[in-house]
Amino acid sequence: MIRVVVAHDTSLLRSALAALLGREADFEVTDTGWPGLYASDRTPRPDVYVVDADCPGWRQHTGTSTGGRFALPGGTRQRGVRGRRPQSRSDRDCACGASVPPSLVVLTGAGRPGDLRRAYEARALGFVNKDRSADRLPTAVRRVAQGKRFVDESLAVEFLHAADMPLTRRELSVLSLSAEGASVTEIARSLHLCNGTVRNYLAAITRKTGARNRVDAIRISRVAGWV
Amino acid sequence: MIRVVVAHDTSLLRSALAALLGREADFEVTDTGWPGLYASDRTPRPDVYVVDADCPGWRQHTGTSTGGRFALPGGTRQRGVRGRRPQSRSDRDCACGASVPPSLVVLTGAGRPGDLRRAYEARALGFVNKDRSADRLPTAVRRVAQGKRFVDESLAVEFLHAADMPLTRRELSVLSLSAEGASVTEIARSLHLCNGTVRNYLAAITRKTGARNRVDAIRISRVAGWV
């Protein structure tokens, strides 16, 4: 039996995903929200986690809200994650201190390179396109349970876009705050910058995303999954 | 048997919702995207449609993109919808000309009065909170199949907010275009207004939503499900 945990912010949708996976005879499925995903007292430990990249909870845990740090929760309580060790400061300094998911299948839509990149940085092994048939999900879970990689072929080209991240981390920080409705002065205060610098960043963001204006830059970046 | 059609933009999630409902012995479940939901050649005709209010396809069909017209697709090919007839111009002039869903269960989150209002205007009978246990969905489907109303008690207070729509239809039109990244001049051209009038609308929207600025007004309205 493969022990699968399905995580989604929305209770009904995680039950639905669990029902879908529960039809497979070799899966033992439970579902959870955040922060349940990273609970360290889970017994027995699941073989595979399935998460929806579109969830705010997942985004928060993978660092977008902190301006593209792409930090994975983990480090202090990490245990037995197939020989992986925290590799960078960003692994260790996560506030939540929970354990890294062992084998991760991420559900993502097409045209969202930001989500794909975040999943990759979180060391996901499985990448499933939500916009395609559901048949592939059980296959992905089985492959990932064996420690192998599964990439939906329809997402392959998206990886090229994901590698082409147009914004720097600092620009992402500025953009995230701006998307939350912060003014130039508020962004400047929050990031310890002067107003002119923030304006320069916002101009660079608008130019780099090919947007017409700031609101358009936020919209484009949101659609792409960057913020 | 109750014939149920589940509609969701995302293929994997509609399969998952169908799997969840398919566990009920008295349901015969199929799933579809848009515009499949409104296909007029569906045989046999389903008893209940289940739609996720968060889907762009649903929003488009219920009129947000047209600035809060709250128009339901229907009219020309409408048939046998429990004695209901097109009641207003907005019922008849929908471009798609497809049939009105017969008995509609809408899945919506808490804190999204705009989604709730849109569902109500689309004459939904069932209102299920996605953030609560999935147990209620089959109950809702059975009640709605009998032509009865089902309102998740956790959504009751939301209906008060839904009645309290802060923006006029014209303001919603302006806000929707602004949220898509249109400049004041572009909005003015699109709605046949002068630039000053658009600026006045944007100032009114910011004031009425209690926002700090235009970006914040868009964010607040999006969270509430108004745009």
Side-chain angles (χ1 to χ4, degrees):
Chain A
M1 291 294 278
I2 301 172
R3 286 186 300 272
V4 184
V5 169
V6 175
H8 201 291
D9 283 325
T10 308
S11 173
L12 189 65
L13 293 180
R14 65 176 178 256
S15 298
L17 285 165
L20 182 74
L21 285 165
R23 294 195 299 200
E24 307 296 317
D26 54 335
F27 290 0
E28 189 185 307
V29 186
T30 50
D31 65 87
T32 180
W34 277 269
L37 177 62
Y38 299 105
S40 58
D41 57 351
R42 199 174 278 286
T43 321
R45 202 162 150 278
D47 298 306
V48 178
Y49 287 95
V50 176
V51 301
D52 188 335
D54 206 21
C55 288
W58 168 246
R59 288 173 172 241
Q60 208 171 350
H61 268 285
T62 47
T64 35
S65 64
T66 57
R69 266 177 59 222
F70 299 120
L72 187 73
T76 53
R77 286 191 230 162
Q78 192 178 6
R79 43 170 196 174
V81 187
R82 302 215 167 145
R84 286 187 203 129
R85 296 174 64 81
Q87 287 164 354
S88 67
R89 195 177 158 274
S90 63
D91 275 346
R92 294 191 304 275
D93 68 2
C94 174
C96 81
S99 59
V100 176
S103 295
L104 188 62
V105 172
V106 174
L107 313 176
T108 175
R112 299 187 65 83
D115 283 348
L116 209 57
R117 184 182 174 118
R118 210 173 297 120
Y120 180 78
E121 303 257 352
R123 304 193 205 118
L125 282 180
F127 302 84
V128 175
N129 188 344
K130 284 198 291 184
D131 298 323
R132 295 294 178 97
S133 157
D135 304 346
R136 300 166 194 215
L137 182 54
T139 311
V141 169
R142 286 189 195 101
R143 280 188 67 90
V144 167
Q146 292 165 9
K148 293 178 186 165
R149 198 179 285 282
F150 177 96
V151 181
D152 217 317
E153 70 273 16
S154 56
L155 291 174
V157 73
E158 304 282 332
F159 269 99
L160 295 173
H161 295 295
D164 251 356
M165 169 56 179
L167 304 177
T168 64
R169 292 187 174 198
R170 182 57 105 179
E171 285 163 352
L172 271 178
S173 305
V174 171
L175 185 65
S176 296
L177 290 169
S178 178
E180 286 165 21
S183 67
V184 167
T185 310
E186 285 165 335
I187 297 171
R189 199 180 307 131
S190 171
L191 298 178
H192 308 290
L193 299 169
C194 67
N195 288 10
T197 311
V198 170
R199 275 198 203 89
N200 286 346
Y201 276 128
L202 287 168
I205 290 163
T206 304
R207 195 183 64 243
K208 284 178 167 185
T209 54
R212 290 173 286 177
N213 50 51
R214 199 184 303 175
V215 177
D216 201 28
I218 292 169
R219 185 188 61 82
I220 289 170
S221 304
R222 184 172 281 135
V223 168
W226 297 122
V227 291
Chain B
M1 292 291 279
I2 301 172
R3 285 185 301 271
V4 185
V5 169
V6 176
H8 202 290
D9 282 324
T10 306
S11 174
L12 189 66
L13 294 179
R14 66 177 177 254
S15 297
L17 285 164
L20 183 74
L21 285 165
R23 294 193 300 199
E24 307 298 316
D26 54 336
F27 290 179
E28 189 186 305
V29 188
T30 51
D31 64 86
T32 181
W34 276 268
L37 176 62
Y38 298 105
S40 56
D41 57 351
R42 198 175 281 284
T43 320
R45 202 161 149 279
D47 299 305
V48 178
Y49 287 95
V50 176
V51 301
D52 187 336
D54 205 22
C55 288
W58 168 246
R59 287 172 173 242
Q60 208 170 350
H61 268 285
T62 48
T64 34
S65 63
T66 58
R69 267 177 58 221
F70 300 121
L72 188 73
T76 53
R77 286 191 232 162
Q78 192 177 6
R79 40 169 198 177
V81 187
R82 304 216 165 143
R84 285 186 204 129
R85 297 176 61 82
Q87 287 164 354
S88 66
R89 195 176 158 274
S90 63
D91 275 346
R92 293 193 305 275
D93 68 2
C94 175
C96 80
S99 59
V100 176
S103 297
L104 189 61
V105 173
V106 174
L107 313 176
T108 176
R112 299 186 66 82
D115 283 349
L116 209 57
R117 185 181 172 117
R118 209 173 298 123
Y120 180 77
E121 302 258 352
R123 305 193 204 118
L125 283 179
F127 301 84
V128 175
N129 189 343
K130 285 198 292 184
D131 298 323
R132 294 294 177 97
S133 157
D135 304 347
R136 300 168 196 216
L137 182 54
T139 311
V141 169
R142 286 190 195 98
R143 280 189 67 88
V144 168
Q146 293 165 8
K148 294 178 185 163
R149 198 178 285 283
F150 177 96
V151 181
D152 216 319
E153 70 272 17
S154 56
L155 292 174
V157 72
E158 304 284 332
F159 270 97
L160 295 174
H161 295 296
D164 248 356
M165 169 59 177
L167 304 177
T168 65
R169 292 187 174 197
R170 183 56 106 182
E171 286 164 351
L172 270 180
S173 305
V174 171
L175 186 65
S176 295
L177 289 169
S178 178
E180 287 164 20
S183 67
V184 168
T185 309
E186 286 165 335
I187 297 171
R189 199 181 307 134
S190 172
L191 298 178
H192 307 290
L193 299 169
C194 67
N195 288 10
T197 311
V198 172
R199 275 198 203 90
N200 286 347
Y201 276 127
L202 288 168
I205 291 164
T206 304
R207 194 184 64 245
K208 284 178 167 186
T209 54
R212 290 174 287 177
N213 50 49
R214 198 184 304 175
V215 175
D216 201 28
I218 293 170
R219 183 188 64 80
I220 288 169
S221 304
R222 184 172 281 134
V223 168
W226 298 123
V227 292

